[in-house]
Amino acid sequence: MSMVSLISPHLPVLTVLLPAFTAMLLVLIGDSRDRLVLARRIALASVALGLLLALKLALDAHDGELRVYRVGDWPAPFGIVLVIDRLSALMLVLTQAVALPVLLYASGGWDSHGRHFHALIQFQLMGLCGAFVTGDLFNLFVFFEVLLIASYVLLVHGQGKERFRVGVQYVAINLAASALFLIGVALIYAVTGTLNMADLAQRVPQVTGDEALVLKAAALILLVVFGVKAAMLPLYLWLPATYAAASAPVAALFALMTKVGVYSIVRVHGVIFGADGGASALVAEPWLLPLALGTSALAVFGALAAQTLPRLVAYLTIASVGTILASLGLFSTAAWSAALYYMAHSTLVIAALFLLVELVASQRGDADSRLEAGAPVAQPVLLGLMLLLAAASAAGLPPLPGFIGKLMVLQASSGHDAQVWIWIVVLSVGFLTLVGLARAGSLLFWSTRPELAGTGTAAGASGKLVLATIALLVGGVAMTVLADPLKRYTDAAAAQLTDHRAYALGVLGGEGVDTTLPYVFPRPAPGVPVGQGTEGGP
């Protein structure tokens, strides 16, 4: 038996174990000055290997077959199960594709500003990857906590009064959200007797009467929890200050954190409480779309009013999340496909902008990242072109992927009652994003004070820092070149999400009905076939 065939069945769990073991190894090695280079190499090699694993899983997922890994060979829904479908594989690739240049950037010096930076990054990657591959809600909560605990420490990496101030706020908000998460999960378990997502997709449609009301309450509690993670209105107020205070590589990596909330909304509210959810169907629908549009609209005004570059980018993060959630709120396969495509693009661009912010700020002397006239930057052409590309992509100008993603969202809204509002918000947010970034660019590169020349970094940014930032920008632009196959992939991913029966068969095995005993009382569901497919849409 070859090594490849020996390892291949374990690839789903390796996506979690690889960063976990790497983190432990890095802790054992330590991060003293003489071992920092070794730690960097190990961390970068681990993430590069993780990216290869994610690409392999994405290629495997392309045939539509689920890759199910039962930890300890315990059958689902009794044991821990990891599931790789097209959506999980896409999120894994996105995570590693952002993490690799971010680590390269951090190895330019940020990793020496505190203890165990690389180990913490690996623990956060473990939490992110685990959240994307887990097949049950309780382990989703566990992986949430893993990535949050790592993020608490990463936020204050490099220290500073402002980081500690927003860090306390960040921890308090997320602890409250975690408590709500447990309450929501407990209510769902009390009613259905299971937390396995495949099992829940079958059981929730069978729940009626007062128990359905409890399920609806639990679903809305989870919407609040995921709304906090995704920074949805009115739960985003913590994000601008938090992301603006974080170090550049940490803020860039945090661009993935909001996507965990988005991903969870897809899994829970798009699938379990989707159109086939019986009495609990589409419980989030009346809330999700209007809140998402409000999120985008208010966030872009926040970006226009921002006085510093990091806060501007932080608000643009929220505006992009609003666009993604608005697409999810349409509850159609075309809209979900648009949301997935736009999510991948916006994550790469936002991460690049956070890195670019620091490259520019470090060359402006005392003006730093404030949006005011300052010293001329040492690399105006290079940084100016990078900002121009990022701005055009974030605003959604053709032919960049931001344009393609927004076009997909607008097309998916055709015929929807809120179509006019979606068009107004999406197009207005794109225009105002361009205005905000154009204002920032004019202040940074034209409204300069020549008498302050030389007060910043005269030599300019190092090649490593520029290369890492360009890699993220190029990744975003590549989505234009690969737009057709990527759209076909996201179309298939959205369609796969609606096929509850196939998911149940893949995860639970058999016909799924054998799992109703002995751990929960079966509930009669006249007229509602177990594992009913949804080939017509979510």
Side-chain angles (χ1 to χ4, degrees), residues 62 90 337-338 340-342 344-345 398-408 411 474-492:
H62 194 61
L90 173 66
S337 173
L340 297 181
Y341 183 91
Y342 186 75
H345 150 263
L400 295 170
F403 169 77
I404 298 172
K406 290 187 176 182
L407 183 62
M408 290 170 65
Q411 288 177 335
V474 169
V477 173
M479 290 187 64
T480 298
V481 180
L482 301 173
D484 182 54
L486 285 175
K487 182 180 182 303
R488 281 189 273 113
Y489 186 94
T490 56
D491 285 346

Side-chain angles (χ1 to χ4, degrees), residues 21-180:
F21 285 130
T22 304
M24 289 186 278
L25 176 61
L26 290 170
V27 170
L28 292 174
I29 290 175
D31 55 357
S32 58
R33 186 174 296 276
D34 57 333
R35 295 189 175 183
L36 185 57
V37 173
L38 177 61
R40 288 171 178 168
R41 291 174 179 172
I42 291 174
L44 284 167
S46 175
V47 174
L49 181 57
L51 178 58
L52 292 177
L53 291 179
L55 289 171
K56 174 71 168 64
L57 288 170
L59 291 173
D60 290 347
H62 194 61
D63 62 7
E65 184 179 345
L66 294 177
R67 264 64 178 178
V68 181
Y69 190 88
R70 298 174 177 84
V71 179
D73 209 23
W74 281 82
F78 304 104
I80 297 173
V81 63
L82 307 179
V83 185
I84 302 291
D85 60 4
R86 289 184 175 96
L87 176 58
S88 297
L90 173 66
M91 299 308 296
L92 289 174
V93 172
L94 183 62
T95 299
Q96 304 292 358
V98 171
L100 187 58
V102 164
L103 268 186
L104 181 65
Y105 186 98
S107 65
W110 263 113
D111 55 354
S112 64
H113 291 198
R115 299 294 310 277
H116 301 298
F117 177 85
H118 289 289
L120 289 166
I121 289 285
Q122 295 296 327
F123 277 126
Q124 186 165 38
L125 292 177
M126 171 193 168
L128 287 167
C129 294
F132 294 141
V133 301
T134 184
D136 68 83
L137 288 182
F138 181 73
N139 283 298
L140 180 63
F141 167 79
V142 171
F143 286 119
F144 260 57
E145 294 308 300
V146 171
L147 70 91
L148 284 173
I149 291 171
S151 72
Y152 297 154
V153 187
L154 285 171
L155 177 60
V156 297
H157 175 79
Q159 303 185 7
K161 182 179 178 181
E162 181 64 13
R163 285 183 188 140
F164 280 109
R165 187 186 69 78
V166 299
V168 172
Q169 167 188 294
Y170 177 71
V171 171
I173 290 174
N174 279 287
L175 286 179
S178 297
L180 286 175

Side-chain angles (χ1 to χ4, degrees), residues 259-502:
K259 307 311 180 293
V260 180
V262 172
Y263 172 86
S264 302
I265 289 174
V266 174
R267 288 288 186 202
V268 173
H269 291 281
V271 178
I272 297 173
F273 294 99
D276 289 338
S280 305
L282 300 177
V283 64
E285 187 180 32
W287 301 95
L288 190 55
L289 182 57
L291 288 176
L293 293 177
T295 301
S296 261
L298 289 183
V300 80
F301 285 121
L304 290 175
Q307 298 300 311
T308 66
L309 269 174
R311 286 188 78 91
L312 187 154
V313 178
Y315 274 113
L316 292 183
T317 306
I318 301 170
S320 68
V321 167
T323 302
I324 298 166
L325 293 177
S327 194
L328 293 180
L330 295 174
F331 287 94
S332 70
T333 50
W336 287 4
S337 173
L340 297 181
Y341 183 91
Y342 186 75
M343 177 172 63
H345 150 263
S346 64
T347 304
L348 292 169
V349 172
I350 292 296
L353 276 170
F354 274 118
L355 299 185
L356 183 57
V357 161
E358 186 180 69
L359 295 183
V360 175
S362 65
Q363 299 181 19
R364 301 186 68 230
D366 293 338
D368 197 49
S369 62
R370 294 190 299 277
L371 290 174
E372 61 185 29
V377 298
Q379 299 167 299
V381 176
L382 175 63
L383 300 184
L385 289 176
M386 290 167 68
L387 182 62
L388 179 64
L389 179 60
S393 198
L397 296 184
L400 295 170
F403 169 77
I404 298 172
K406 290 187 176 182
L407 183 62
M408 290 170 65
V409 174
L410 296 179
Q411 288 177 335
S413 70
S414 177
H416 194 277
D417 293 342
Q419 180 182 357
V420 174
W421 287 108
I422 294 169
W423 278 63
I424 290 173
V425 172
V426 171
L427 295 177
S428 299
V429 166
F431 173 72
L432 294 177
T433 297
L434 190 61
V435 170
L437 288 171
R439 165 181 167 259
S442 65
L443 286 169
L444 298 172
F445 299 106
W446 280 285
S447 300
T448 58
R449 298 173 61 186
E451 70 274 16
L452 298 178
T455 58
T457 305
S462 72
K464 180 185 289 187
L465 304 185
V466 172
L467 177 63
T469 310
I470 288 178
L472 288 168
L473 290 172
V474 169
V477 173
M479 290 187 64
T480 298
V481 180
L482 301 173
D484 182 54
L486 285 175
K487 182 180 182 303
R488 281 189 273 113
Y489 186 94
T490 56
D491 285 346
Q496 189 176 32
L497 287 170
T498 67
D499 192 354
H500 299 173
R501 183 172 179 79

Side-chain angles (χ1 to χ4, degrees), residues 511-525:
E511 295 297 321
V513 292
D514 293 336
T515 64
T516 56
L517 291 175
Y519 69 102
V520 68
F521 294 104
R523 294 181 174 80

